[in-house]
Amino acid sequence: MCVRICAGQHIGSEPTLPYLSPELTGSRLLVGANFASAGIGILNDTGIQFVNIIRMFRQFEYFQEYQNRVTALIGPQRTKQLVNGALILITVGGNDFVNNYYLVPYSARSRQFSLPDYVKYVISEYRKLLTRLHDLGARRVLVTGTGPLGCVPAERAMRGRNGQCAADLQRAADLYNPQLVQLVKDLNSQYGSEIFVAVNTGKMQYNFISNPRAFGFTTSKVACCGQGPYNGLGLCTPASNLCPNRNVYAFWDPFHPSERANGFIVQEFMTGSTEYMYPMNLSTIMALDSRT
């Protein structure tokens, strides 16, 4: 989770610092903070193979602590206004499949749940997180879905057949993302306000994955930096293969889109239709909030 203006380069926002940065003091607190931690999930048992990750419940504790620090700086009323007016981006969920349900064959969660039931369980737990975020004062929250999980170079290399997208992970994304949109609709109805915005990052990414040349990429199968088939194994390290021009690769490493690919995603954040940003895009949010 991060409390920040999303797509800051496009809207001229000052970058936010990690919450635990020693530089995040004084007036810099008023810019916002980044609470994100790689490898976490909605569920507490997601990412058990990683050490020192900051799970969601702890991120919320930091968010509360952050508000206390801001209150000491500008007082409770102005802090409430600052938090209510902040744009919050929460990106979580994909690891609950990649690093939990499908982490190993016959994982604990896959033995406990069928995939459709697991998706429902994850969504029900996500509802609790988003409700807690609202309780902490969030009033503008961008909630991203998962990308095309089976189509990243890592999954093509490890699970795909002949370099195709891994069908099981694609099915997980196809089940999860529509239910996340419905969750956003339900919560907005419950609160009587368009607080949460569902961000269809899956479709945003699949556009350039399925037709890379239309976006100026030569490939969406092979990562720029990596090892093994499709450069999809391991991490990007000094020992990895490195492409000569990252701008023509849709993926930087086995899991993450390249900087140029992220630019296309950000553009949809800003101006995308309700097919990508429901119920509104970021430009509309900014226009509405500027009037209040």
Side-chain angles (χ1 to χ4, degrees):
M1 181 187 73
C2 48
V3 180
R4 61 180 178 175
I5 297 295
C6 180
Q9 289 180 334
H10 280 243
I11 59 180
S13 173
E14 183 179 342
T16 54
L17 292 171
Y19 179 67
L20 298 179
S21 169
E23 298 178 17
L24 188 66
T25 59
S27 62
R28 298 213 62 170
L29 284 164
L30 306 183
V31 176
N34 187 338
F35 300 87
S37 179
I40 67 154
I42 295 164
L43 307 181
N44 283 334
D45 59 308
T46 293
I48 57 173
Q49 72 274 34
F50 302 121
V51 295
N52 297 327
I53 62 175
I54 304 170
R55 303 191 185 282
M56 287 302 302
F57 73 88
R58 184 60 174 144
Q59 291 188 34
F60 285 137
E61 290 174 352
Y62 282 143
F63 185 30
Q64 181 67 68
E65 183 181 288
Y66 163 82
Q67 293 186 48
N68 294 338
R69 292 173 64 190
V70 173
T71 297
L73 194 67
I74 62 174
Q77 186 58 37
R78 289 181 62 196
T79 298
K80 183 176 185 295
Q81 293 172 350
L82 180 72
V83 173
N84 287 169
L87 187 63
I88 295 176
L89 171 67
I90 182 166
T91 299
V92 68
N95 283 325
D96 293 287
F97 298 99
V98 174
N99 288 319
N100 193 327
Y101 195 84
Y102 290 111
L103 178 61
V104 294
Y106 308 108
S107 67
R109 287 299 191 184
S110 68
R111 285 183 277 114
Q112 182 183 10
F113 293 104
S114 67
L115 179 60
D117 288 341
Y118 181 70
V119 170
K120 291 177 182 177
Y121 174 64
V122 171
I123 290 290
S124 70
E125 292 300 300
Y126 207 174
R127 175 185 288 271
K128 297 175 185 177
L129 295 180
L130 295 178
T131 299
R132 176 60 178 152
L133 197 52
H134 177 270
D135 292 344
L136 289 170
R139 295 297 181 267
R140 283 293 190 200
V141 185
L142 304 182
V143 184
T144 65
T146 71
L149 298 174
C151 295
V152 300
E155 300 303 337
R156 289 183 191 268
M158 293 186 292
R159 300 175 187 273
R161 294 183 177 180
N162 299 318
Q164 299 305 305
C165 299
D168 48 358
L169 279 159
Q170 281 301 98
R171 180 171 176 245
D174 290 343
L175 288 171
Y176 175 81
N177 286 328
Q179 292 186 46
L180 183 60
V181 174
Q182 187 59 51
L183 172 60
V184 163
K185 293 179 179 179
D186 291 346
L187 287 172
N188 286 343
S189 177
Q190 174 184 327
Y191 293 121
S193 180
E194 293 177 336
I195 292 169
F196 298 99
V197 176
V199 182
N200 191 344
T201 45
K203 183 167 180 57
M204 293 175 187
Q205 292 184 42
Y206 195 71
N207 286 342
F208 58 73
I209 288 173
S210 61
N211 190 7
R213 293 191 178 277
F215 293 82
F217 299 117
T218 59
T219 179
S220 61
K221 290 186 176 183
V222 181
C224 174
C225 184
Q227 302 139 53
Y230 312 104
N231 276 346
L233 302 180
L235 302 175
C236 180
T237 71
S240 297
N241 302 315
L242 183 63
C243 70
N245 182 4
R246 67 188 67 187
N247 287 327
V248 297
Y249 283 71
F251 283 91
W252 160 246
D253 67 11
F255 295 99
H256 302 102
S258 63
E259 182 176 358
R260 185 162 173 268
N262 277 322
F264 291 117
I265 294 172
V266 168
Q267 190 58 54
E268 296 295 350
F269 267 72
M270 299 299 299
T271 61
S273 69
T274 53
E275 184 179 10
Y276 299 93
M277 300 285 293
Y278 182 88
M280 69 189 92
N281 59 39
L282 187 51
S283 294
T284 303
I285 291 172
M286 292 172 61
L288 288 173
D289 290 352
S290 68
R291 300 172 192 164
T292 58

